[in-house]
Amino acid sequence: MVLTVNGKAELVVQDAASYQELLDAKDRIEAIDGIKRGLDSMKRHRGKPAEEFFTDFFAEKGIPDNE
């Protein structure tokens, strides 16, 4: 249901299940967008392989590497 003030939509009322579906869809879209950004970054040879990242990260944070 859309409530209007002076002919303009001001408030939407919907059931909780439909609202949750919208939140879930938003989360999926954000995840897909993040994956696309990551793939684009890889194509442009930006970033570093995960193994290299974690080695550097653990060293920087003083976390022992227990392989």
Side-chain angles (χ1 to χ4, degrees):
M1 176 178 286
V2 178
L3 302 176
T4 62
V5 174
N6 297 326
K8 294 175 64 177
E10 289 290 325
L11 179 71
V12 175
V13 178
Q14 66 185 113
D15 64 279
S18 295
Y19 181 67
Q20 188 60 52
E21 285 179 30
L22 284 174
L23 293 177
D24 293 344
K26 178 182 176 283
D27 287 344
R28 283 191 300 274
I29 289 168
E30 288 173 350
I32 291 168
D33 188 46
I35 291 167
K36 286 179 180 179
R37 283 193 315 269
L39 291 172
D40 183 53
S41 181
M42 286 175 50
K43 286 178 186 175
R44 291 183 286 126
H45 303 289
R46 299 181 74 187
K48 59 175 89 174
E51 185 174 313
E52 183 181 339
F53 167 81
F54 283 112
T55 298
D56 294 347
F57 178 80
F58 291 158
E60 179 183 306
K61 301 297 180 188
I63 302 170
D65 186 7
N66 298 328
E67 285 189 32

